[in-house]
Amino acid sequence: MSKILILDFGGQYKELIARRIRNMGVDAFVVPCNTPIQDILAQKPDGLIFSGGPHSVYSSVSPRADEKIFSCGLPILGICYGQQYIAHALGGEVSRCIISEYGKTLTVVKPRNPLFKGLAKNQFMLMSHSDGVTKLPEGFEIVAHTANCKIAAMANLEKNIYAVQFHPEVTRSKKGEKILKNFVFGICKAVAKPRQIKTVDDFILDIKNQIGDGKCILGVGGGLTSAVCANLIYKAIGDRLTCVFVDHGMLRANEKEEIEEIYARLPYNFKSVDAKDRFAKALKGVFDAETKRKIIGREFFAVFEEEANEIGADFLSQGTVYSNVIESGAENSANIKSHHNVGGVPKDNRFKGIIEPLKALFKDEVATLAKHLGVPEFFLSRQPFPGPGLGIRIMGEVTADKLEILRKADNIFSEEVEKMPQKKRPTQYFAVITGMRSVGAMGDGRVYDYVIALRAVNTTDFMTAVHAPFSAKTLGKICDRIVNEVVGACRVVYDITDKPPATIEWE
């Protein structure tokens, strides 16, 4: 049975690498980067992949692999930090880049190299780095470069070691999957097998085994992940599930009414909790984004504990997905931002267990599962909305005035986008109230009001994203409506930063 091991150096995309390889029909597992060589060899892998990571290899605290890894005889592919680590460990040099590279980058590859077999010379690959290899280790050759990165890929054919500075595992690297296939099948000689996909019955059985005869509350919103969780858990335990919707006062226009209406038509026990005052009090005077996220997570959890006590529930379920886990710094990744359903769960709590059926799935996989379950179209077509709501779309302190301004601006943006044909709409779109005020002239008078930023992206897995290419005419119409209809907003800007280097949300 063929198998590839991914050595985890703390990168955001390590599980995405594993997913790509599993989709090819080959087993792939993530293991700590410092796993002893004897433990690696005991698993009999066909090859090894070194993941990316947030560290600099020349730092004394940067992660390392077993020094015997390079003489074990297995094919190795290093990605991003993985390339830098290989160079550093084998006598090359890594330095800070004069010009960093973030985003889709024209990369010139050598098609004669086994890693790039079948590819054209010019490729667009996703770069995300501030360090780079500046001197090759002995026995290596340069097999790809960009305008600002002389060693975008390197290879030692004799030792069967390959490395790339870019990320072939993400969809924004157009031929990235082909590169991974070249490594897995051409270099490692792995053999594909029929893929075993987890079925709905598997999810339901897992939930039954976790909850047993207990009761469970599920935190729900208007999003797809909580709707899928509700469907699965209800199928597993029936009326022992209670769905709890928390109105924290940071919802979009008409959101509370829409969610209460849709859940009233579904068979689940449902309770709506008005918690606006407690969230407003907890967030008063708080400006830091991470602190806001953690406070929101803490308050959510406190509400869930109170509701669980009232109905005697032993378990709490959340719609956590894999990107939430990774961005929150779990599983050796850098903490990009604490998601409320990851960073807000205290270690000491009253629950027997936290049920997270979708924790290992990416958002596009959740959407596929939703279609199999027959989840209502309301959830499938609804815009993704973070649990902290507008609270993380307001830069700085959350106030009633800012919420009112943002709610109106966001609603105008959504109305205009939803007039577009379905196939032209971005995956996600929303407004942000920035921490800046700007001088404007309205009615022959001076105003000093907020700057509204518009954000719209296209993505599949939400691990990477590109900005949506709106026309100037469309943006102009949205801008005109916002500055004319929203008191307190006098300027509108459009965010064209991709992910990476940005995240989808501003906070």
Side-chain angles (χ1 to χ4, degrees):
M1 184 181 298
S2 293
K3 181 190 301 181
I4 303 293
L5 294 185
I6 295 100
L7 272 65
D8 175 17
F9 287 89
Q12 297 287 307
Y13 303 144
K14 54 183 176 285
E15 282 291 350
L16 193 55
I17 301 169
R19 177 187 170 190
R20 299 290 182 236
I21 295 171
R22 290 183 195 126
N23 286 346
M24 299 174 193
V26 174
D27 284 341
F29 300 97
V30 178
V31 299
C33 64
N34 59 356
T35 301
I37 189 63
Q38 61 268 25
D39 294 345
I40 289 173
L41 295 177
Q43 296 193 49
K44 298 181 179 179
D46 296 85
L48 307 174
I49 295 178
F50 293 0
S51 81
H55 303 278
S56 292
V57 293
Y58 42 79
S59 166
S60 60
V61 297
S62 62
R64 304 279 195 268
D66 189 317
E67 61 183 14
K68 299 176 184 176
I69 198 87
F70 298 109
S71 58
C72 71
L74 291 170
I76 295 173
L77 171 63
I79 296 176
C80 198
Y81 177 93
Q83 166 168 290
Q84 297 164 17
Y85 174 70
I86 290 170
H88 182 76
L90 296 179
E93 293 181 3
V94 177
S95 305
R96 194 75 173 173
C97 297
I98 297 174
I99 300 176
S100 300
E101 291 180 311
Y102 293 100
K104 195 165 62 173
T105 306
L106 177 62
T107 306
V108 181
V109 306
K110 291 185 176 180
R112 64 175 176 79
N113 186 271
L115 196 62
F116 303 123
K117 183 179 179 181
L119 271 68
K121 184 178 179 181
N122 293 329
Q123 297 293 329
F124 281 97
M125 297 293 170
L126 180 80
M127 288 284 192
S128 183
H129 69 108
S130 293
D131 290 342
V133 178
T134 51
K135 179 183 176 182
L136 289 171
E138 185 177 348
F140 281 77
E141 64 171 318
I142 299 172
V143 293
H145 69 273
T146 72
N148 296 308
C149 182
K150 183 176 71 172
I151 307 175
M154 62 184 193
N156 185 321
L157 297 183
E158 182 180 346
K159 291 186 176 181
N160 231 5
I161 299 175
Y162 304 81
V164 296
Q165 183 58 65
F166 51 82
H167 287 275
E169 69 273 23
V170 303
T171 55
R172 287 177 61 196
S173 292
K174 293 299 183 183
K175 296 294 182 180
E177 184 178 10
K178 173 63 175 172
I179 293 170
L180 289 176
K181 284 183 176 180
N182 283 342
F183 178 72
V184 171
F185 298 116
I187 295 169
C188 297
K189 308 300 181 187
V191 178
K193 65 175 183 179
R195 186 181 176 214
Q196 298 296 315
I197 300 175
K198 191 172 184 179
T199 66
V200 169
D201 288 341
D202 293 331
F203 281 101
I204 293 170
L205 181 59
D206 286 347
I207 294 167
K208 284 181 177 179
N209 289 337
Q210 291 177 78
I211 298 177
D213 295 328
K215 293 182 179 180
C216 179
I217 67 167
L218 166 67
V220 299
L224 186 62
T225 56
S226 59
V228 171
C229 281
N231 191 300
L232 289 170
I233 298 171
Y234 183 76
K235 283 179 165 62
I237 66 171
D239 287 341
R240 287 182 286 125
L241 166 68
T242 298
C243 296
V244 178
F245 168 65
V246 179
D247 179 4
H248 52 26
M250 295 171 281
L251 301 172
R252 293 173 291 194
N254 306 314
E255 186 135 34
K256 179 177 184 290
E257 295 76 14
E258 290 175 357
I259 291 170
E260 289 177 344
E261 181 183 350
I262 188 66
Y263 273 97
R265 301 202 299 265
L266 296 172
Y268 324 131
N269 296 324
F270 175 80
K271 183 175 181 181
S272 180
V273 180
D274 185 345
K276 293 190 289 291
D277 290 343
R278 74 183 295 163
F279 277 87
K281 182 179 179 180
L283 290 169
K284 186 175 178 58
V286 178
F287 291 81
D288 177 68
E290 268 295 278
T291 304
K292 282 196 296 187
R293 282 180 171 272
K294 289 176 180 177
I295 288 172
I296 291 169
R298 182 193 71 201
E299 293 301 318
F300 261 119
F301 196 84
V303 173
F304 292 145
E305 282 199 313
E306 292 168 9
E307 296 304 316
N309 286 334
E310 187 173 316
I311 66 173
D314 305 311
F315 296 87
L316 168 67
S317 183
Q318 302 183 123
T320 310
V321 294
Y322 198 74
S323 57
N324 300 155
V325 176
I326 291 299
E327 288 189 331
S328 296
E331 302 191 18
N332 200 36
S333 298
N335 186 359
I336 304 301
K337 55 186 179 184
S338 297
H339 288 262
H340 75 285
N341 52 351
V342 180
V345 179
K347 292 182 180 179
D348 297 323
N349 61 74
R350 67 171 299 285
F351 294 105
K352 290 182 180 179
I354 308 296
I355 310 301
E356 297 173 303
L358 311 178
K359 191 174 182 178
L361 301 184
F362 291 89
K363 288 187 180 180
D364 58 320
E365 294 175 307
V366 176
T368 300
L369 180 60
K371 291 173 183 177
H372 286 301
L373 289 168
V375 169
E377 180 62 30
F378 171 87
F379 298 107
L380 286 166
S381 59
R382 192 169 174 78
Q383 269 293 291
F385 192 56
L390 300 181
I392 56 168
R393 293 177 180 173
I394 292 174
M395 304 295 101
E397 185 182 15
V398 178
T399 67
D401 287 345
K402 289 182 183 177
L403 282 167
E404 184 67 13
I405 292 168
L406 179 57
R407 199 172 276 122
K408 289 179 178 178
D410 184 75
N411 194 50
I412 289 170
F413 188 25
S414 295
E415 285 178 354
E416 292 302 321
V417 172
E418 286 162 14
K419 292 176 183 177
M420 300 167 60
Q422 183 71 43
K423 64 180 181 180
K424 290 187 177 181
R425 294 179 197 170
T427 310
Q428 188 170 4
Y429 43 91
F430 55 88
V432 173
I433 186 167
T434 70
M436 298 180 292
R437 288 194 173 194
S438 176
V439 174
M442 292 183 176
D444 295 325
R446 179 187 186 275
V447 296
Y448 191 61
D449 287 330
Y450 286 106
V451 178
I452 301 295
L454 306 178
R455 180 76 161 143
V457 298
N458 288 310
T459 181
T460 53
D461 52 30
F462 287 80
M463 294 297 290
T464 65
V466 295
H467 73 276
F470 286 132
S471 68
K473 181 179 179 180
T474 298
L475 288 173
K477 184 177 182 181
I478 295 166
C479 174
D480 286 345
R481 283 199 61 193
I482 290 174
V483 296
N484 285 322
E485 298 176 33
V486 182
V487 176
C490 72
R491 193 179 295 263
V492 178
V493 298
Y494 184 53
D495 179 0
I496 61 169
T497 319
D498 294 340
K499 177 184 180 180
T503 58
I504 292 176
E505 297 289 346
W506 272 44
E507 285 199 341

